Amino acid sequence: MHPSASFSAAIRVRIENHPGAFARVAAAIGETGGLLGSIDLVRVERSTKIRDVTVLADDERHLQAIVDAVHAVPGVEVVHVSDRTFLAHLGGKIEVRPRVPVKTRDDLSMAYTPGVARVSRAIADDPEKVWNLTIKRHTVAVVSDGTAVLGLGDIGPEAAMPVMEGKAVLFKEFGGVDAFPICLATKDADEIVRTVAAIAPAFGGINLEDISAPRCFEIERRLRETLDIPVFHDDQHGTAIVVLAALLNALRVVDKRIEDVRIVTTGCGAAGMAVTRALIAAGATYVVGCDEGGALYRGRTDLNDAKREYAEMTNPDNVRGTADELLAGADVFIGVSVPGAISVEGVRRMAERAIVFAMANPTPEVDPESIEGLAEVIATGRSDYPNQINNVLAFPGVFRGALDVRARTIDEAMEVAAARAIAATIPVEELSADYVIPSVFNRSVAPAVAAAVAEAAVETGVARRSLAVPEEVSV
């Protein structure tokens, strides 16, 4: 484990005002393995000083151990402890702000009644004008039922809200897209489809998030059939785009072609299905997916509909066996499953210059440090290892591009274009085993993805407008 800001606190302490007093506090933090952050002087009293001390820990238990250690320092009073992550969520992380002033009667008469009636009439006469005259053109609904939230599972719609708010923050920060969390108090697929379809007129796109498999497949399919705006299940397609981007660059590093490599995957749910579809769309010819029962093959009797579909489009030789067994001679392993899905010995049997993407979070399918030297390129879903596979590289730019051309859907061509755009943000001469995917803070990624997605949407005919056409302003 590594100290992280996600487990950090500001500890307000009253310390005796004499040399060496704070050194004892710092020593207590260090001895418990905590990371000392900022130290701020709050005020000076007659014989004491009050300071805010920021500490970073590995997890909640470690954070409490640090606080207890500071409590135990002679001459130090812990005034209070503020969890910085909880502080960041007070009152929520997003808000709605007006884009026009309402300071005068004229302002009011244009923003609202009576002037707004003219705009409503114009849209009623020509519904396409909703794209120019409302927030629809830059707004996405982030929809969840709270059944598959991060690694927490089915925690309900209320508990899903902080995650969906966070998603909205990322949409705005990286893509300039206004997103709003819609957390639904139902798990019924029919009701979810009806509800999302009913609210769709207000949005330019729908981002489905943290809905458990296999319902997520049906919900996305039905909404795509019903709506004329993009419907994008990020757990599937966002993951697939970033995995493909990283793989394209990893293959350049090891000097192999996607058409030639043997790929073994673990995890055949929402993300696994989408990753595999993206690989095949990009030219992969040999993919074998495995679940806890081993390889998915045609004729296997315990598969649900989604896994039978997976087996039909993969495993060209209809091989059987465990993931570990099938790694023998494989060039690439991609895991979107569970810790321990493969072993070090399995990786050892892979082909030379192997690629391993072990993305179970927070504990990967195989310990990355234990396979150093066995696999040439290693990627995970964690920020404390090189090559983090993170969906934030994809969804802001994907939706930005789709909205810019008012796309009716997001198709495979747009997804592959997004992956290639992400990969291309790293110049070939800078690629290395530890650098096959750009940082999430690389500000060139989202614009590059948006441009590539918009172009692909125009080429495949799902765009309502071309970027070359100026915006219509007359009514």
Side-chain angles (χ1 to χ4, degrees):
M1 298 290 286
H2 302 272
S4 163
S6 61
F7 299 104
S8 63
I11 307 175
R12 179 161 291 186
V13 291
R14 180 177 280 111
I15 308 173
E16 295 174 351
N17 192 6
H18 60 74
F22 182 77
R24 294 199 298 272
V25 174
I29 294 169
E31 287 167 4
T32 55
L35 185 63
L36 186 60
S38 62
I39 306 162
D40 301 306
L41 180 65
V42 178
R43 64 177 178 270
V44 178
E45 299 175 337
R46 179 168 298 182
S47 60
T48 61
K49 291 180 179 177
I50 295 182
R51 294 184 182 273
D52 282 342
V53 182
T54 300
V55 297
L56 279 68
D58 295 342
D59 52 31
E60 288 179 288
R61 186 176 298 179
H62 185 209
L63 184 58
Q64 185 59 53
I66 294 169
V67 173
D68 292 343
V70 174
H71 264 294
V73 176
V76 173
E77 175 191 354
V78 175
V79 179
H80 65 75
V81 179
S82 299
D83 187 304
R84 295 174 67 223
T85 297
F86 277 78
L87 282 175
H89 286 77
L90 280 178
K93 301 188 290 291
I94 60 175
E95 63 183 4
V96 175
R97 292 188 179 188
R99 298 179 67 223
V100 297
V102 184
K103 305 294 186 184
T104 68
R105 288 181 181 274
D106 285 353
D107 294 340
L108 182 60
S109 69
M110 288 188 290
Y112 198 52
T113 184
V116 72
R118 296 176 53 227
V119 181
S120 293
R121 253 195 329 265
I123 296 172
D125 293 340
D126 180 4
E128 282 297 302
K129 287 182 176 174
V130 70
W131 288 98
N132 272 347
L133 299 174
T134 74
I135 64 172
K136 185 181 182 78
R137 65 190 286 177
H138 54 78
T139 307
V140 167
V142 182
V143 178
S144 180
D145 63 359
T147 55
V149 181
L150 301 179
L152 305 174
D154 185 353
I155 59 174
E158 292 85 1
M161 277 291 291
V163 180
M164 303 312 127
E165 285 185 13
K167 197 83 173 189
V169 170
L170 299 177
F171 264 112
K172 186 67 172 179
E173 180 66 24
F174 294 103
V177 173
D178 291 308
F180 197 84
I182 306 292
C183 293
L184 303 177
T186 178
K187 301 177 186 179
D188 182 81
D190 292 338
E191 194 169 359
I192 291 172
V193 170
R194 282 195 300 268
T195 302
V196 175
I199 66 171
F203 298 96
I206 305 294
N207 183 93
L208 301 175
E209 190 78 17
D210 293 346
I211 298 173
S212 62
R215 294 175 312 117
C216 59
F217 301 120
E218 178 192 355
I219 290 167
E220 183 191 50
R221 176 185 58 78
R222 290 172 59 185
L223 285 172
R224 285 190 168 192
E225 291 172 353
T226 302
L227 301 179
D228 65 347
I229 57 174
V231 178
F232 185 85
H233 185 209
D234 187 51
D235 300 320
Q236 295 183 60
H237 308 293
T239 302
I241 288 167
V242 183
V243 168
L244 177 57
L247 181 61
L248 291 173
N249 277 342
L251 290 170
R252 292 186 180 101
V253 169
V254 301
D255 195 25
K256 297 181 181 181
R257 301 188 329 138
I258 194 168
E259 295 86 356
D260 301 330
V261 294
R262 296 168 64 91
I263 303 171
V264 174
T265 75
T266 58
C268 302
M273 175 71 81
V275 166
T276 299
R277 286 189 182 279
L279 296 174
I280 293 171
T285 59
Y286 190 97
V287 182
V288 178
C290 302
D291 63 7
E292 61 277 6
L296 272 62
Y297 57 87
R298 293 173 295 285
R300 188 173 143 183
T301 58
D302 62 340
L303 302 182
N304 61 27
D305 290 343
K307 288 185 178 181
R308 274 194 294 273
E309 180 184 353
Y310 189 107
E312 287 294 333
M313 68 179 184
T314 58
N315 199 349
D317 297 333
N318 219 34
V319 297
R320 308 182 186 194
T322 66
D324 246 20
E325 292 167 344
L326 295 171
L327 283 179
D331 301 280
V332 178
F333 167 75
I334 297 174
V336 281
S337 54
V338 295
I342 62 170
S343 69
V344 174
E345 285 306 309
V347 174
R348 193 185 306 277
R349 291 191 294 268
M350 292 179 70
E352 291 185 6
R353 311 197 76 182
I355 296 168
V356 172
F357 288 3
M359 295 179 292
N361 222 347
T363 307
E365 283 81 359
V366 63
D367 176 34
E369 294 170 359
S370 68
I371 60 171
E372 288 182 2
L374 300 179
E376 183 161 341
V377 180
I378 303 169
T380 71
R382 291 175 46 153
S383 60
D384 51 353
Y385 288 109
N387 299 327
Q388 183 192 19
I389 306 296
N390 193 319
N391 289 13
V392 75
L393 288 165
F395 66 82
V398 167
F399 270 99
R400 179 72 276 159
L403 291 170
D404 285 345
V405 295
R406 302 176 189 171
R408 294 178 175 84
T409 189
I410 295 171
D411 59 21
E412 280 188 351
M414 295 162 73
E415 293 178 16
V416 172
R420 295 192 185 281
I422 294 169
T425 58
I426 302 179
V428 174
E429 62 273 14
E430 295 181 16
L431 286 174
S432 68
D434 287 341
Y435 186 39
V436 298
I437 196 74
S439 163
V440 296
F441 296 106
N442 184 333
R443 294 292 176 163
S444 68
V445 172
V449 171
V453 166
E455 182 178 353
V458 172
E459 290 177 355
T460 59
V462 301
R464 288 181 174 84
R465 65 182 295 269
S466 167
L467 288 177
V469 178
E471 290 284 4
E472 177 189 341
V473 294
S474 63
V475 296

